[in-house]
Amino acid sequence: CNRTATSEMIKVYPLYSLVFCTFLFYLFGFSEQVTHSERDVLLELYSATNGPHWRNNSHWGFGDPCINEWHGIQCEDGKTGRTISLLTLPRNNLDGTIPNSLTTLDSLRYVDLSYNSLYGTIPDSIGDFSSLFSLTVAGNLGINGTIPSSIWNITSLVILDLSSNSLSGTIPHNIKSNSALQVLRLYKNA
């Protein structure tokens, strides 16, 4: 090898390394991961609803929910990176309670947990959702108690389906404060 050729290769090699690493970075989406706290919230849901026995729990718990395409999860680009925008697990054998932490997923727009074996009350923190467009928790006969009045504070909520549960009580007065609501299903409750 001649000395000039070797020194030129040394100068070029770091450039190739940088290009290759950048390529891998974008290929595997390392910049598009959700935050650890969002991932932890999903894992808490998995744990609270007997995730190992779900009908379909493909990829749950492995890596990033967006990159690894966890069943029932969809993501979108947010202001601060990837965020979870859709959680849809209907008829999936979820058995347990809805964790309060679910409402910390600020970018969640669609939630469908219908026709599972969920029980307990709807968390009072449900009103903390800031971007929720559609909430469907129908057909979970173990869901009981009253509809939390905070649910009407979700000003982006257009569809609310709480039918076929064991909810009781009256519809809160502040339902009128939600002008976006177009579909309200509360039939077949206690």
Side-chain angles (χ1 to χ4, degrees):
C1 239
N2 111 16
R3 202 170 176 88
T4 308
T6 305
S7 66
E8 284 182 27
M9 285 179 65
I10 291 171
K11 289 178 186 175
V12 173
Y13 180 75
L15 178 62
Y16 286 125
S17 295
L18 179 63
V19 170
F20 181 71
C21 288
T22 303
F23 171 76
L24 287 178
F25 186 80
Y26 286 104
L27 177 68
F28 292 106
F30 295 122
S31 64
E32 298 181 0
Q33 293 183 352
V34 298
T35 65
H36 289 291
S37 61
E38 284 189 324
R39 183 180 187 280
D40 290 345
V41 168
L42 292 176
L43 290 176
E44 186 176 342
L45 173 69
Y46 184 80
S47 177
T49 58
N50 204 13
H53 297 282
W54 289 358
R55 191 164 277 123
N56 186 344
N57 60 8
S58 297
H59 308 287
W60 274 75
F62 297 102
D64 182 83
C66 301
I67 295 169
N68 293 342
E69 299 178 352
W70 291 9
H71 171 73
I73 301 295
Q74 285 186 13
C75 304
E76 60 187 28
D77 292 325
K79 294 176 185 173
T80 58
R82 295 290 274 178
T83 58
I84 297 162
S85 59
L86 183 139
L87 171 63
T88 178
L89 297 167
R91 300 180 189 276
N92 202 38
N93 201 33
L94 279 69
D95 184 8
T97 59
I98 301 170
N100 284 323
S101 62
L102 193 63
T103 62
T104 64
L105 296 175
D106 295 334
S107 298
L108 204 54
R109 295 188 35 77
Y110 298 90
V111 174
D112 185 351
L113 301 175
S114 59
Y115 299 98
N116 284 292
S117 297
L118 297 174
Y119 54 84
T121 59
I122 296 172
D124 287 330
S125 61
I126 197 84
D128 294 344
F129 277 121
S130 57
S131 303
L132 198 61
F133 175 85
S134 176
L135 175 62
T136 304
V137 189
N140 289 283
L141 295 176
I143 296 285
N144 57 37
T146 60
I147 300 170
S149 61
S150 66
I151 205 165
W152 311 115
N153 297 336
I154 309 171
T155 57
S156 56
L157 193 62
V158 174
I159 300 167
L160 177 61
D161 187 351
L162 301 176
S163 62
S164 302
N165 290 304
S166 298
L167 295 168
S168 59
T170 59
I171 298 172
H173 298 191
N174 56 347
I175 186 175
K176 297 174 190 172
S177 66
N178 188 331
S179 60
L181 193 63
Q182 294 179 16
V183 178
L184 176 63
R185 295 187 184 116
L186 300 175
Y187 59 86
K188 291 188 180 177
N189 275 289

